[in-house]
Structure formats: C-alpha cells, structure tokens
Amino acid sequence: MKFELRGITKRFPGVVANDGVNLHVSTGEVLALIGENGAGKSTLMNVLYGLYRADEGELLIDGKPSHFSSPADAIAAGIGMVHQHFMLVPVMTVAENVVLGVEPTGRFGSLDIDEARRMVREVSDKYSLELDPDAVIEDLSVGVRQRVEIVKVLMRDAKIVVFDEPTAVLTPSEILEFFEIVRSLVAAGRGVIFITHKLKEALSVADRINVLRRGKVVGEALPKNTSESQIAEMMVGRAVQLVVDKTEAVPRESMLDVRNVTVVEPDGRVVVDDVTFEVRVGEIVGVAGVQGNGQTELVEAIAGLRRAASGSIVLGGRDITTDSPRERHEAGMAHIPEDRQRQGLVTDLSIVENLVLTRYHDSEFSSGIRMKWDVAKTRAKELVAAYDIRTTDPAQPASTLSGGNQQKVIVARELSREIRLAVAAQPTRGIDVGSIEYVHAQIVKERDAGRAVLVVSTELDEVMSLADRVLVMYRGRIVADVDPKKVSHMDIGLYMAGSRPSGAVA
Ligand SMILES: Nc1ncnc2c1ncn2[C@@H]1O[C@H](COP(=O)(O)OP(=O)(O)OP(=O)(O)O)[C@@H](O)[C@H]1O
Ligand SMILES: [Mg+2]
C-alpha cells in the first residue's frame, strides 16, 4: 500500500507550518522525517493522522484520493500513530489500556478482559514485543510503555506506523530494541515513518530520509550515500559543528559540594546512595548513566524538588540542603529540568511569561509591586532571536511552540540570568542539531565566565563531548569519576552497566 500526501499546506495564525508538502510512504519501508525544530514534522503527521485538517492538498491511498476528517478515519485506513507523550492510563493494566476504544465486549456487554489479554499476547508474540498483559502501566519503564502503544496500534491493524520522536526518551539499549521492533514491523509488511533529531538513527534504520525546513520538503537522501554532516547541512542550511568546540577547563574553587547524599523513595527504596562529589567554578561535570540509576533523583535533590534523607548540599559555601527551590534559585542555581512539560513550562502562559517565569521577583523585571512588562518583552525578544525560538509572536501561549522550541525557552530562561551554578538535565532533548550546537556553546560560555555546570544526560555522546569530567552513576552510586579525553565510550559503557574496564583501578 502506498500513502501519498500531495501539496499539503497547513496554516496556524501567523505561520505556515506545512507549505505545499509532497511526501509518500509505502508498506515495507522506513521513512525518516527530519528537520529543524518547528519545521513542521509533527504538524504534517497530525494531518496524516486526521488530527488536523489541511488547508490545501490531498491524500492519496494507492493512487485514490481519500479524506480523513478524524483519527478514526485514519485508523480505519491503516494509519497508526505513537505520539511522543504516551496516552496511557497509568493506573490501568496493559490489557485494559490497549483495548480502550476497541473494547471487545463479553456476553453482557462488559469488557472481556480475557479476550483483551489474549489479543495482547497474540500481537506481542507475533512481533516479539515482550509484554505482560496484566502489568500496571505506572510500574513500567518508558521503553515498555512505548511497546504498549505499539501493540495498541498494531491491534488496530495499522499498515503504516508513525513514530514522533520515539527515541528521545529511550535509553541506549531500549533504542536498539526499538530498532529491532521497527525491523520486525517492516518484515511483517508494515511501513514506518520515524521522526528523529538523531541523525545517526536516521542513517541506521531508514530506507529513505526526507528533510523538512520551514514547512517545505527540501530534500530526500538515501542513507547509503549520505553522511551525518550532509544531512545536518540540508536541515539547517549551513554547515553544523557536530562536536563541541571548547578549550581545556581551568577549574577553580568548589561551587557545588554534594556530600554523602542519600535519597529514599516513599516505599523505602534507596535511589541515591551515599553520593559525594563536587563541581568547581570553571568546569562542566557530566553525569552519565542508564536512565533509572538515580540521576533524576540526584538532580531533584540538588534542585530542591526532593528532600535528601541524609547528607548535605552546599552551594558556594552556603548549606542549601533544606532550602526551597526558590531559595536555591535566588542563591544562584539555574535548573533545566528533565521533564519540560511538567516542570519547566506553563504551556498556557505566553512565551514571554515563560521566559521570565522563575524571575518574577528579580528587580530587573519587577518593581516589587508590579511586573515591568516592557522590559520582559524586550528581553524575550532578544532571547527568541539568540536561541532561534521559532515563533511569530512571543505573546502567544507556549503550547503553540513545537516540542524542541519549548525546550529552547527553558534553556534560554535558565541561562540568561546571573547564576553561579547551572544544573542541566537532558538539556538538548528534542532539540535539532543546529540548536544543540548553540546550547552547547552557551553552556561552555557559562563555564568560561566562571560558573560551575552540572550536566546530566542519557546521551553518552553529549556527556563525553561537553563535560570536562564525567561521573558515572549505577544503582544510585557514583561508580566512576573519569576524564572523558582519557577513556573510551566503550569503557564508560562498561561502568554504566555496572562492570569495570579491565585494567581500571577503583
Ligand atoms: N496548535 C498550534 N497553534 C499555533 N501554531 C502551531 C501549533 N502547532 C504548531 N504550530 C507551529 O507550527 C510550526 C511547526 O510546528 P511542528 O510542531 O510541526 O514542528 P516540528 O517540526 O515537529 O518541531 P520539533 O522538532 O521541535 O518537534 C511551528 O512554527 C509551531 O510553532
Ligand atoms: Mg515535533
């Protein structure tokens, strides 16, 4: 089967998100869709999935004009979509979730959960998607939840499965599993559209790559005769520096002193286990590790979103262990949170408001009685330009921004005031290669201006190229403290898996 979008134009107030786009995908192939933040990728897929109605253009299925006016139409025609933010009910089981909407009903019209279980098993066996139908969603890792979404789509017999940035939230080993799933889908005669900002992934899994820029398809590439830097250039329209440009660090006095910090979950599990380290002025310390080894909780303890059960946290000589997030903020800590939707932004508020969100009390923006809106607006304009935040009007709600542009708002806000320490969790998640280059340059600039920087990232490449010193976390503990120039990715990988490279001393 072949699905073809022809001349698709989709406008939002003040912006043409898709501008006469032509794109086709067939069963049995993987099409990667890449492009800058705000290029129109998610919009285009939402048009294909019947969530948005195109202003112009048509859809052809096997050459025949078709029309979707809702996702139900798209599903019936064989389109399935796995959204970046999963739409699962956390307190329900896998089986209960996958049958929402297609509930098989028993004799008395009630949900026949045995039938649902059987269907989950059948689909998961067929595609080797290991899944327990009775597991409760909230107990599952992100990778497994994604599998649930995939099973849900396959149970509706999707011919084409659309994935919007599926790997942004996965661990490296989950990403490999995901690729296996994609291959098995294709082997079973399905087609896949795959959106990613990680060019390596597009090159390794796609049959074809389509590049979108400012709403238009600007090129198609075949992985076998193109390179990362060629695609990056096609995306951004200029050569992109794919490695971080920085000089040797010159660390000075200690700025962040984390001593014997332990974090315990309400159920008694120790998630951060007696962690001690420091971050000095003028250095970038990276924390590497497989997601789920305590990095998130460690950052939350440092930022004040969680209480440490024991231990102390000192910022520039002042004990902040029991300070509130706002007190830490005022003491000069910037925090780029991992979960931009829940912690970083208020999406109903305007972009301007979000850019000054944590700074309502700063004298720069407030006279003590009222906000200085003209100052905030001017500042917002500068940040929008510097960080290339794609918006036609910063007075619009942040929810109108594309995913990557929302992330840029947080980074811009957090790095644009006088700080002493920046704590950045997954700072470039969902950001395109051109903007990653800029964000990394800003982080290095902070370092060189005499700040201390702590970067936590599940992207090993990012940690290794950005950090001056790398700590590896495994099961709540720091198991290595190394110079990234002196160890290989392979060795770090071993530490991340809880073992030790041969010849290494503890
Ligand atoms: N609901 C909306 N209202 C107004 N503008 C919107 C809306 N949704 C998207 N846009 C705008 O349309 C453009 C394309 O956004 P889209 O989300 O498709 O980008 P994207 O390519 O998926 O980017 P990213 O890589 O950051 O996810 C952007 O300029 C965005 O601000
Ligand atoms: Mg998007």
Side-chain angles (χ1 to χ4, degrees), residues 206-243:
D207 296 299
R208 283 187 296 128
I209 300 173
N210 275 5
V211 182
L212 272 180
R213 183 172 357 131
R214 298 191 184 257
K216 291 195 167 82
V217 173
V218 293
E220 172 162 305
L222 299 177
K224 61 174 181 290
N225 43 31
T226 190
S227 67
E228 263 186 85
S229 52
Q230 278 173 317
I231 309 179
E233 185 158 351
M234 210 190 271
M235 263 175 77
V236 182
R238 62 175 169 87
V240 178
Q241 179 98 29
L242 294 169
V243 287

Side-chain angles (χ1 to χ4, degrees), residues 10-13 15-18 34-46 52 84 164-165 195-197 212 215 340 390-392 396-406 408 430-432:
K10 173 68 190 170
R11 299 185 191 91
F12 291 110
V15 59
V16 185
N18 294 147
I34 63 169
E36 288 177 289
N37 297 127
K41 303 176 297 293
S42 297
T43 303
L44 187 65
M45 292 303 105
N46 285 331
Y52 290 161
Q84 183 169 355
D164 195 350
E165 293 188 49
I195 299 178
T196 185
H197 285 294
L212 272 180
R340 66 173 169 247
R390 298 281 167 88
T391 171
T392 44
Q396 288 202 341
S399 58
T400 62
L401 291 173
S402 74
N405 282 300
Q406 293 183 359
K408 289 195 236 169
I431 294 190
D432 68 54

Side-chain angles (χ1 to χ4, degrees), residues 301-342:
I302 293 171
L305 300 171
R306 246 179 215 262
R307 206 35 83 78
S310 57
S312 68
I313 302 168
V314 172
L315 176 65
R318 162 178 158 183
D319 191 322
I320 58 163
T321 316
T322 57
D323 283 1
S324 69
R326 180 165 155 203
E327 286 165 325
R328 294 176 205 226
H329 170 86
E330 280 162 3
M333 185 190 299
H335 176 216
I336 299 169
E338 183 178 313
D339 185 344
R340 66 173 169 247
Q341 301 261 331
R342 283 212 324 250

Side-chain angles (χ1 to χ4, degrees), residues 14 26 33 42 133 168 175 209 217 233 241-242 286 296 304 329 331 334 347 352 388 399 414 425 443 463 496 501:
S26 299
L33 196 55
S42 297
I175 290 174
I209 300 173
V217 173
E233 185 158 351
Q241 179 98 29
L242 294 169
T296 302
H329 170 86
T347 50
V352 175
D388 191 19
S399 58
E414 294 301 313
I443 290 176
V463 176
M496 284 168 58

Side-chain angles (χ1 to χ4, degrees), residues 54-88:
D55 297 306
E56 285 160 41
E58 57 178 349
L59 165 71
L60 304 171
I61 302 176
D62 286 335
K64 279 201 292 293
S66 306
H67 180 77
F68 300 163
S69 51
S70 70
D73 291 349
I75 291 167
I79 304 283
M81 183 148 169
V82 176
H83 294 269
Q84 183 169 355
H85 296 279
F86 304 151
M87 301 181 173
L88 301 170

Side-chain angles (χ1 to χ4, degrees), residues 185-207:
L185 291 178
V186 171
R190 319 268 153 174
V192 168
I193 301 182
F194 166 48
I195 299 178
T196 185
H197 285 294
K198 300 184 227 174
L199 308 181
K200 275 198 188 95
E201 295 180 352
L203 287 172
S204 76
V205 81
D207 296 299

Side-chain angles (χ1 to χ4, degrees), residues 428-464:
T428 59
R429 178 176 280 173
I431 294 190
D432 68 54
V433 283
S435 300
I436 287 177
E437 181 188 27
Y438 184 77
V439 168
H440 283 170
Q442 293 311 300
I443 290 176
V444 172
K445 210 164 117 191
E446 291 294 322
R447 179 198 78 171
D448 294 341
R451 328 279 191 237
V453 183
L454 181 67
V455 174
V456 180
S457 176
T458 48
E459 294 292 323
L460 191 49
D461 287 345
E462 174 164 55
V463 176
M464 293 290 273

